Amino acid sequence: MQPLIDTELWLAHKRRALARPVEGADFLMRRAAEDLADRLGAVERRFGKAAALFCQTSAATEVLAGSGKVADIVRVETNQAFLAGETGVVVPAETVPFEAESLDLVVSLLSLQAMNDIPGVLAQIRRVLRPDGLFLGALAGAGTLAELRESLLAAETELHGGASPRVLPFTDVRDAGALLQRAGLALPVADVETVTVRYSSLFGLAADLRAMGETSPLFDRSRRPATRRLFARAAEIYAERFSDPDGRIRASFSIVWMSGWAPDASQQKPLKPGSAKVSLKTILEKPTGH
């Protein structure tokens, strides 16, 4: 079966963006790193060995080092260029190169959405975590670039009588929670935060996506050249449907956060069915005061 995502193309886009940096275009990674710092700060424990898995930049390792909670950090990337001279491990995408139960913490920022086998990657992460080890990951989720998707589909349908997908299908937050459970992680939590960014036009958004290395890596992408006419019409539709009163357009980026722990006997367990001291029916029927 043909994979959904052309991983080599995604990596080529990322390497090209790295070679031609644009100031400020890393705003989503910086936001994810800030959120990682907050989430790690809420965990009241220390970690022996941690891995920053396919995070593309040093942002995650800087957060881990700055937290004062991690003794040893290993960066894992798919290409030497992402390490930018830092020490790290280079492996093929979707490979978690550690022995079983050898890590206390694994973090991953904004790369899982480009993996063809997310369940397989999560299962590998579960395998390498020691009992009561923690996984924290962020990926682009459902709703990301919804406005761009709609505008391109409408423009291509209007101009060519049909449309091909040009934006990745992203994981829903409910599916993310189910994936954590499927991987065997305990106490799974998935939540989503939507970041709205405003641009003067679709072309400003497209420039940022190129600078992020996030142009479409779909295998099933259209092989018809994207013409100036197509993007011009898509920009018109975008402005008609998704602009604010000042004329600037909105672009949505949904960041789904996933967390789960390797099972351990010390962890809190859910109550067994029927073991509650008070029934839900009693609570619902209890009159409330005013």
Side-chain angles (χ1 to χ4, degrees), residues 55-95:
C55 295
Q56 308 156 52
T57 77
S58 62
T61 52
E62 290 169 5
V63 168
L64 296 180
S67 71
K69 294 184 174 184
V70 184
D72 184 23
I73 306 164
V74 180
R75 273 191 71 182
V76 179
E77 298 291 355
T78 54
N79 191 279
Q80 196 72 38
F82 297 132
L83 292 171
E86 293 185 15
T87 302
V89 179
V90 176
V91 297
E94 307 189 22
T95 303

Side-chain angles (χ1 to χ4, degrees), residues 20-264:
R20 306 170 186 171
V22 176
E23 184 177 359
D26 62 343
F27 63 90
L28 280 181
M29 183 61 74
R30 286 188 280 109
R31 178 67 171 263
E34 291 169 3
D35 288 349
L36 174 63
D38 291 341
R39 290 166 187 269
L40 195 58
V43 179
E44 296 183 357
R45 59 167 291 183
R46 296 179 63 83
F47 300 93
K49 186 173 182 179
L53 194 63
F54 308 132
C55 295
Q56 308 156 52
T57 77
S58 62
T61 52
E62 290 169 5
V63 168
L64 296 180
S67 71
K69 294 184 174 184
V70 184
D72 184 23
I73 306 164
V74 180
R75 273 191 71 182
V76 179
E77 298 291 355
T78 54
N79 191 279
Q80 196 72 38
F82 297 132
L83 292 171
E86 293 185 15
T87 302
V89 179
V90 176
V91 297
E94 307 189 22
T95 303
V96 182
F98 298 97
E99 296 294 327
E101 298 188 4
S102 61
L103 299 177
D104 302 291
L105 173 66
V106 174
V107 302
S108 180
L109 297 185
L110 302 182
S111 64
L112 284 174
Q113 73 276 357
M115 304 293 176
N116 281 298
D117 185 14
I118 297 176
V121 175
L122 292 177
Q124 291 181 71
I125 290 171
R126 159 69 184 87
R127 182 186 66 83
V128 302
L129 284 172
R130 294 188 179 110
D132 208 32
L134 174 63
F135 166 64
L136 282 172
L139 69 160
T144 296
L145 300 175
E147 305 90 348
L148 178 62
R149 183 197 307 274
E150 180 177 325
S151 300
L152 285 170
L153 283 173
E156 195 165 14
T157 300
E158 177 185 311
L159 295 176
H160 302 293
S164 299
R166 293 183 181 273
V167 178
L168 280 178
F170 295 105
T171 302
D172 181 86
V173 65
R174 290 167 294 186
D175 292 335
L179 288 171
L180 291 167
Q181 291 182 310
R182 177 177 169 181
L185 290 161
L187 308 174
V189 176
D191 60 90
V192 63
E193 179 183 9
T194 298
V195 178
T196 301
V197 184
R198 302 203 315 146
Y199 292 91
S200 59
S201 72
L202 177 151
F203 299 103
L205 168 60
D208 261 3
L209 293 175
R210 282 194 300 273
M212 293 178 198
E214 290 293 351
T215 48
S216 178
L218 289 170
F219 258 116
D220 194 25
R221 62 193 181 277
S222 174
R223 295 311 197 263
R224 179 193 299 126
T227 63
R228 185 176 301 235
R229 184 182 175 212
L230 171 63
F231 279 109
R233 182 59 186 131
E236 291 173 352
I237 293 171
Y238 205 131
E240 291 165 4
R241 300 183 184 182
F242 305 109
S243 64
D244 290 329
D246 62 0
R248 294 177 70 80
I249 63 166
R250 302 180 300 277
S252 299
F253 297 89
S254 295
I255 300 177
V256 172
W257 275 95
M258 310 167 74
S259 69
W261 298 80
D264 184 72

